[in-house]
């Protein structure tokens, strides 16, 4: 099972406080998702929709073989980015050139998963369109959405999240009021966090009950109030709230929802008043961050007039203590996030500083983002590549918000192109080509002026297309980039175009012209500002051409020359490509032992930086080595695993003239060795993730591919069959999998039909036999 969070690789967001109450609501979420494909949790701001969804997620995981995936939309700043947020959350690497919506539909058609879409109200129409499309064109996808208002999607089931229960005025409290009134339990829990030893007693419980009533049972308002227990007693807290809320009593006839909005606003107002001036400044300026941010980013954006940089740590810590900032990340990498209602309040305060205050803050975010990405690119040719990939994934919401700012703010297009140009290595190395093309196509169309940034954007776009195997579209773009760079005298950008110019010829099978381009490139010393990674690719690609043309010794010598540079810098990404070409040349020469060693070393490095497409090509190369050594089964498994990568990404690299022959040789050899058994081994590879495939290729036994027990059942039907073998009734199966009884009965009927059985005992014997072949 899998639970993932967009923009993070650490599972669910870190929760530093306990979850109180909502037992019935949690059970209702499970029940509704068993019967409906779309469930929306609705309710006013601060009522706890997100916390309820996150609390329910782990209890739902077993019901979804393809995982539960959380997509936090609060950091999305444009409706068109909603599909991209899902693509990243699901780690989809598709480079087919189709729209993000079609990519999602195609990738999810055969999957059984739960998508948790948080904070849909910002782009309700976009969310409704996407969810409606997914539900209409997939079978096993279900959606749990949180939104202040229901989505406009047919067949939606709405669960309105109510405030926590509070005692009725004048009604005597029971002996243990926290057990009956979760609002009181929440206050006591949060108060104890700031005032150790605090608990509900006969002396304070009436005041706590009155306080929670005054706050309308809204969890966020209760948490904000409880923080003040560090300085005030319960009665003092209630008296101050009474004075602040007195104006609300005359507006109760305006409806519960409006009153709750005003209640939360008043609670947040009070929290703002109790902040120090430095904390108020950070609150307002940090409201322009999309998603999460770290202390370094906060210092760059929030420090300035009225706030010294040295005061930032105390201000941020104060906001965390007051529950106005949520700390996420881990013990090493601390990050911060504002709840959406808190962020919106801060944004309102920022706008009060003048018409240009928000835009000025967003320009500071832009500047920080540009500096951050440029620094990542400078450090890329070195030992920190895995950490840089992690950081860039983490900052994805922020980077998207800067792109959108640049596209919608006059005078910012050049900055947007500059940002895209510096991200080439990240998009290329990690296979995030959908994202890269999305921004580059919009920026290049909007900024036709002849600039250095445009020249770079053109060759980066060409690289995205070459990774797709599309030399026809890539070739004119890279030539346009070269011509523009020459015209502008941008020597580094001219040098950068060699990789794409040669690559367009290489994957088209025009090896002589590709060789001429790379020979010319290496005859010239590196230019000032030229990327060392792109210098390295000149060696990689010339060595590749030489090996294809049978000049193995020279190809291996080129690889060894630049390998020494990689080793000296601790570089891994280019090094992995050099190792692959070494393995290719060594295998062709007949040194299969060396080829196997270098191919495996290559896979280790590619796994470290997340180079999915490089993994696919190397799996095929290693498959060819296995086939030459008479090892048909691992060859077939690895071919299946590589095919899974190409199928998921809709990439045709395995069919290009430069890469296709390796796969063809491996497949022909494996089929000759295995005969009819090839299909079974190949299917075994098809079900492996890229990480599992690498582990299998490296001989890591804990992740080795498992033998396949030939079965006509789907994954869900197989799971039901195993539950039948445990002796569970249909109702018990429905309860275990969180599905309707009718759904469970349908699964059992299909299992009996597909297996040709007439009794549950036969299914149990079949399931036991299936288990027996597992290692």
């Amino acid at each position: 099972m899998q639970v993932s969070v967009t923009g993070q690789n650490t599972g669910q967001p870190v929760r530093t406080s306990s979850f109180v109450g909502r037992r019935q609501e949690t059970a209702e979420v499970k029940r509704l998702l068993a019967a409906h494909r779309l469930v929306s949790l609705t309710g006013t701001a601060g009522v706890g929709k997100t916390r309820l969804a996150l609390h329910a997620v782990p209890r739902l995981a077993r019901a979804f073989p393809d995982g539960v995936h959380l997509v936090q939309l609060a950091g999305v700043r444009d409706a068109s980015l909603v599909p991209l947020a899902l693509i990243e959350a699901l780690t989809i690497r598709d480079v087919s050139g189709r729209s993000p919506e079609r990519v999602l539909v195609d990738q999810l058609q055969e999957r059984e998963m739960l998508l948790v879409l948080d904070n849909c109200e910002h782009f309700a129409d976009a969310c409704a369109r996407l969810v409606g499309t997914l539900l209409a064109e997939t079978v096993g996808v279900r959606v749990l959405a949180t939104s202040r208002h229901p989505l406009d999607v047919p067949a939606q089931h709405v669960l309105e999240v109510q405030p926590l229960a509070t005692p009725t005025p004048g009604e005597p409290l029971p002996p243990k009021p926290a057990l009956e009134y979760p609002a009181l339990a929440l206050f006591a829990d949060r108060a104890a966090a700031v005032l150790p030893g605090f608990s509900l007693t006969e002396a304070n419980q009436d005041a706590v009950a009155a306080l929670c009533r005054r706050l309308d049972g809204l969890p966020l308002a209760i948490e904000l109030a409880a923080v003040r227990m560090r300085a005030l007693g319960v009665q003092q807290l209630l008296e101050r709230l009474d004075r602040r809320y007195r104006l609300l009593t005359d507006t109760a006839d305006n409806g519960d929802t409006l009153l709750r909005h005003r209640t939360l606003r008043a609670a947040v107002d009070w929290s703002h008043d109790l902040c120090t001036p430095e904390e108020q400044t950070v609150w307002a300026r940090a409201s322009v961050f999309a998603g999460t941010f770290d202390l370094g980013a906060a210092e760059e954006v929030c420090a300035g007039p009225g706030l010294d940089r040295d005061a930032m740590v105390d201000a941020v810590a104060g906001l965390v203590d007051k529950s106005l900032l949520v700390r996420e990340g881990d013990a090493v990498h601390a990050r911060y996030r504002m709840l959406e209602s808190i962020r919106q309040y801060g944004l309102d305060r920022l706008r009060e500083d003048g018409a240009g205050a928000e835009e000025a803050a967003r320009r500071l975010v832009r500047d920080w983002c540009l500096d951050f990405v440029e620094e990542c690119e400078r450090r890329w040719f070195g030992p920190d590549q895995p950490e840089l990939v992690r950081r860039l994934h983490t900052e994805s919401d922020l980077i998207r918000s800067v792109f959108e700012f640049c596209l919608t703010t006059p005078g910012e297009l050049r900055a947007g192109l500059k940002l895209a140009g510096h991200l080439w290595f990240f998009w290329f190395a990690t296979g995030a080509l959908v994202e890269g093309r999305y921004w580059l196509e919009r920026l290049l169309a909007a900024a036709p002026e002849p600039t250095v940034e445009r020249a770079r954007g053109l060759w980066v776009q060409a690289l995205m297309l070459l990774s797709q195997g599309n030399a026809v579209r890539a070739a004119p773009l890279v030539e346009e980039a070269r011509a523009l760079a020459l015209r502008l005298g941008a020597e580094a950008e001219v040098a950068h175009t060699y990789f794409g110019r040669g690559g367009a010829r290489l994957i088209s099978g025009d090896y002589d012209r590709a060789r001429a381009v790379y020979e010319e490139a290496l005859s010239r010393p590196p230019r000032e500002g030229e990327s060392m990674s792109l210098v390295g690719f000149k060696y990689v690609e010339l060595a590749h051409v030489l090996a294809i043309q049978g000049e193995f010794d020279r190809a291996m010598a080129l690889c060894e020359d630049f390998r020494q540079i990689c080793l000296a810098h601790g570089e891994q990404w280019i090094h992995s490509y050099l190792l692959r070409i070494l393995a290719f040349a060594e295998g062709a020469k007949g040194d299969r032992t060396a080829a196997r060693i270098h191919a495996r070393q290559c896979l280790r490095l590619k796994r470290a930086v997340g180079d999915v497409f490089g993994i696919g090509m190397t799996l095929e190369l290693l498959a060819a080595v296995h086939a030459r050594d008479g090892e048909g089964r691992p060859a077939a498994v690895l071919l299946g695993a590589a095919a899974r990568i190409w199928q998921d990404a809709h990439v045709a690299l395995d069919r290009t003239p430069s890469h296709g022959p390796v796969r063809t040789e491996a497949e022909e050899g494996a089929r000759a060795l295995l005969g009819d058994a090839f299909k079974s081994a190949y299917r075994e590879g098809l079900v492996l993730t890229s990480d599992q495939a690498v582990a299998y290729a490296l001989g890591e036994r804990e992740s080795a591919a498992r033998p396949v027990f030939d079965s006509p059942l789907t994954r869900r039907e197989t799971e039901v069959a195993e539950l039948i073998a445990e002796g569970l009734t249909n109702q018990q199966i429905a309860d275990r999998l969180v599905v309707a009884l009718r759904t469970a009965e349908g699964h059992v009927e299909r299992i009996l039909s597909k297996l040709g059985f007439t009794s549950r005992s036969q299914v149990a014997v079949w399931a036991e036999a299936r288990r027996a072949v597992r290692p």
Side-chain angles (χ1 to χ4, degrees):
M1 299 301 170
Q2 175 182 348
V3 179
S4 66
V5 179
T6 181
Q8 302 177 9
N9 297 317
T10 57
Q12 290 199 59
V14 173
R15 292 289 162 194
T16 57
S17 57
S18 58
F19 186 82
V20 176
R22 304 290 195 197
R23 182 175 301 174
Q24 288 184 336
E25 291 94 331
T26 301
E28 183 68 359
V29 170
K30 294 172 63 177
R31 187 189 70 79
L32 290 173
L33 280 170
H36 305 275
R37 293 187 62 201
L38 171 60
V39 175
S40 292
L41 304 182
T42 65
T44 189
V47 80
K49 302 180 292 293
T50 298
R51 288 297 298 269
L52 174 59
L54 292 179
H55 183 65
V57 160
R59 292 150 184 81
L60 297 167
R62 179 174 171 79
F64 299 94
D66 291 306
V68 178
H69 301 266
L70 171 63
V71 187
Q72 294 173 323
L73 297 175
V76 175
R77 293 292 174 260
D78 185 85
S80 63
L81 302 181
V82 172
L84 286 178
L86 267 71
I87 284 173
E88 183 180 25
L90 298 169
T91 61
I92 291 172
R93 295 292 178 255
D94 181 289
V95 296
S96 62
R98 299 169 302 162
S99 70
E101 292 84 355
R102 298 316 307 169
V103 168
L104 283 167
V105 168
D106 184 73
Q107 292 283 342
L108 303 186
Q109 278 183 344
E110 303 298 325
R111 300 196 190 183
E112 297 180 60
M113 63 169 52
L114 174 65
L115 297 177
V116 183
L117 306 184
D118 188 32
N119 285 298
C120 292
E121 63 268 11
H122 307 295
F123 305 109
D125 291 342
C127 289
R129 285 194 299 271
L130 181 59
V131 169
T133 299
L134 290 177
L135 295 182
E137 300 192 36
T138 67
V139 177
V141 173
R142 297 193 177 218
V143 177
L144 175 63
T146 74
S147 178
R148 295 184 190 177
H149 310 287
L151 299 179
D152 185 16
V153 180
Q156 171 186 219
H157 194 95
V158 176
L159 174 61
E160 185 174 359
V161 182
Q162 298 291 337
L164 297 175
T166 60
T168 302
E171 179 180 300
L173 292 175
K176 293 183 179 181
L179 296 179
E180 188 167 333
Y181 298 107
L184 276 62
L186 177 64
F187 181 89
D189 181 83
R190 300 304 188 257
V194 298
L195 186 66
F198 177 86
S199 62
L200 290 178
T201 65
E202 289 187 6
N204 65 29
Q205 62 187 21
D206 288 332
V208 171
L211 179 68
C212 292
R213 277 197 304 270
R214 179 66 74 199
L215 295 171
D216 293 321
L218 288 175
L220 178 56
I222 291 171
E223 293 198 26
L224 293 176
V227 170
R228 308 317 308 162
M229 286 294 292
R230 183 180 284 111
L232 300 173
V234 178
Q235 192 61 43
Q236 294 171 307
L237 192 60
L238 178 59
E239 290 169 359
R240 281 158 176 76
L241 278 173
D242 272 336
R243 289 198 294 271
R244 185 169 291 275
Y245 282 82
R246 195 165 293 128
L247 292 175
L248 294 176
T249 59
D250 295 330
T251 62
D253 60 341
N254 288 337
D256 289 344
T257 299
L258 178 58
L259 182 55
R260 287 168 189 162
H261 279 299
R262 294 180 179 179
T263 298
L264 181 60
R265 176 74 184 201
V268 178
D269 273 333
W270 191 42
S271 292
H272 186 266
D273 291 347
L274 293 172
C275 287
T276 66
E278 292 80 8
E279 291 166 353
Q280 292 174 350
T281 300
V282 172
W283 185 348
R285 294 176 183 171
S287 66
V288 298
F289 283 115
T292 64
F293 58 92
D294 65 10
L295 184 61
E299 288 175 338
E300 293 298 325
V301 173
C302 301
L307 181 63
D308 186 77
R309 184 182 291 263
D310 293 337
M312 280 296 304
V313 173
D314 288 339
V316 168
L319 292 172
V320 172
D321 288 342
K322 295 177 178 67
S323 297
L324 297 168
L325 275 182
V326 179
R327 186 196 185 281
E328 294 187 352
D330 52 35
V332 178
H333 308 103
R335 297 187 66 80
Y336 307 96
R337 176 177 60 86
M338 286 186 186
L339 297 177
E340 186 57 23
S341 51
I342 300 299
R343 192 194 71 82
Q344 192 59 53
Y345 181 95
L347 201 56
D348 291 341
R349 288 285 184 168
L350 180 63
R351 290 164 179 163
E352 291 174 3
D353 290 341
E358 181 181 355
E359 185 171 313
R362 294 195 186 281
R363 289 186 195 280
L364 290 173
V365 174
R366 175 208 63 190
D367 293 342
W368 177 86
C369 193
L370 273 170
D371 290 344
F372 165 70
V373 171
E374 286 182 46
E375 178 64 18
C376 287
E377 187 185 24
R378 280 193 294 272
R379 292 172 54 196
W380 180 247
F381 195 84
D384 300 326
Q385 288 170 338
E387 171 63 13
L388 294 174
V389 168
R390 185 197 67 80
R391 284 292 314 277
L392 285 162
H393 275 304
T394 300
E395 301 293 355
S396 58
D397 281 338
L398 188 60
I399 291 170
R400 291 189 192 116
S401 74
V402 172
F403 275 129
E404 202 57 43
F405 172 77
C406 292
L407 281 161
T408 56
T409 306
E412 294 294 333
L413 288 171
R414 193 167 180 176
L417 268 176
K418 184 178 182 180
L419 179 62
H422 287 300
L423 280 166
W424 74 270
F425 68 94
F426 173 65
W427 290 331
F428 190 39
T430 63
L433 307 182
V434 172
E435 179 110 5
R437 284 202 320 270
Y438 176 84
W439 295 117
L440 282 164
E441 287 170 0
R442 294 178 67 187
L443 288 161
L444 289 169
E449 297 79 15
T451 62
V452 173
E453 290 79 12
R454 179 174 176 82
R456 175 176 271 235
L458 287 166
W459 68 252
V460 173
Q461 179 76 320
L463 290 190
M464 305 293 108
L465 291 164
L466 287 173
S467 292
Q468 179 189 347
N470 191 337
V472 173
R473 287 185 59 197
L477 286 176
V478 75
E479 293 301 335
E480 182 183 351
R482 180 173 183 270
L484 180 55
L486 285 169
R487 173 183 163 191
L488 297 173
E491 292 190 1
E493 301 309 326
V494 173
H496 289 154
T497 64
Y498 278 112
F499 181 29
R501 291 175 63 220
R505 293 160 174 79
L506 175 60
I507 68 171
S508 300
D510 192 348
Y511 303 130
D512 289 337
R513 293 181 65 199
R515 177 172 178 167
V517 170
Y518 291 127
E519 294 274 19
E520 178 187 342
L522 284 180
S523 71
R524 303 181 178 189
R527 302 299 195 269
E528 182 178 353
E530 186 175 355
S531 164
M532 279 300 292
S533 293
L534 289 172
V535 172
F537 269 124
K538 296 173 187 176
Y539 282 81
V540 170
E541 296 305 298
L542 179 55
H544 190 185
V545 174
L546 291 170
I548 289 173
Q549 294 184 325
E551 297 186 34
F552 304 122
D553 291 337
R554 188 181 170 207
M556 293 165 64
L558 276 173
C559 290
E560 289 295 351
D561 285 347
F562 205 79
R563 272 191 75 199
Q564 298 311 308
I565 297 174
C566 292
L567 290 168
H569 287 80
E571 200 279 343
Q572 300 176 67
W573 185 45
I574 299 300
H575 192 182
S576 71
Y577 280 95
L578 294 165
L579 287 167
R580 180 182 171 277
I581 301 303
L582 268 177
F584 175 71
E586 289 160 345
K589 285 186 69 176
D591 189 352
R592 293 191 292 274
T593 299
R596 189 183 301 233
I597 291 171
H598 284 139
R600 287 178 168 175
Q601 289 176 349
C602 170
L603 284 174
R604 290 188 180 93
L605 296 183
K606 288 190 178 297
R607 178 170 60 180
V609 297
D611 183 356
V612 178
F613 299 156
I615 287 172
M617 290 187 290
T618 309
L619 291 175
E620 290 176 338
L621 176 59
L622 192 55
V625 174
H626 280 295
R628 290 169 191 158
D629 277 341
E631 300 166 349
R633 179 176 173 73
V637 171
L638 295 178
L639 286 169
R644 162 81 178 271
I645 291 174
W646 307 134
Q647 289 170 11
D648 285 350
H650 287 268
V651 174
L653 283 176
D654 60 325
R655 295 193 294 274
T656 60
S658 57
H659 297 291
V662 172
R663 179 180 183 84
T664 299
E665 178 198 342
E667 183 168 344
E668 289 176 351
R671 285 184 181 277
L673 289 164
L674 295 178
D676 292 341
F678 174 85
K679 291 182 180 179
S680 176
Y682 185 85
R683 285 200 306 270
E684 183 179 322
L686 278 174
V687 303
L688 299 179
T689 66
S690 62
D691 283 344
Q692 291 169 340
V694 171
Y696 175 77
L698 297 178
E700 298 170 358
R701 293 183 59 187
E702 65 271 19
S703 298
R706 296 185 300 183
V708 172
F709 187 84
D710 204 15
S711 167
L713 304 186
T714 66
R715 278 176 293 181
R716 174 47 62 86
E717 290 165 352
T718 300
E719 189 173 10
V720 171
E722 291 175 349
L723 295 178
I724 292 173
E726 292 179 18
L728 271 64
T729 65
N730 288 350
Q731 183 62 62
Q732 290 170 327
I733 291 171
D735 294 341
R736 178 78 65 87
L737 297 180
V738 199
V739 298
L741 173 60
R742 186 170 54 186
T743 301
E745 290 171 343
H747 283 314
V748 173
E749 290 172 3
R750 284 190 293 275
I751 289 168
L752 292 170
S753 175
K754 287 183 178 182
L755 297 178
F757 295 157
T758 58
S759 70
R760 298 168 76 92
S761 60
Q762 289 175 301
V763 175
V765 171
W766 178 90
E768 289 298 331
R770 180 178 179 275
R771 290 179 189 143
V773 302
R774 295 178 179 176

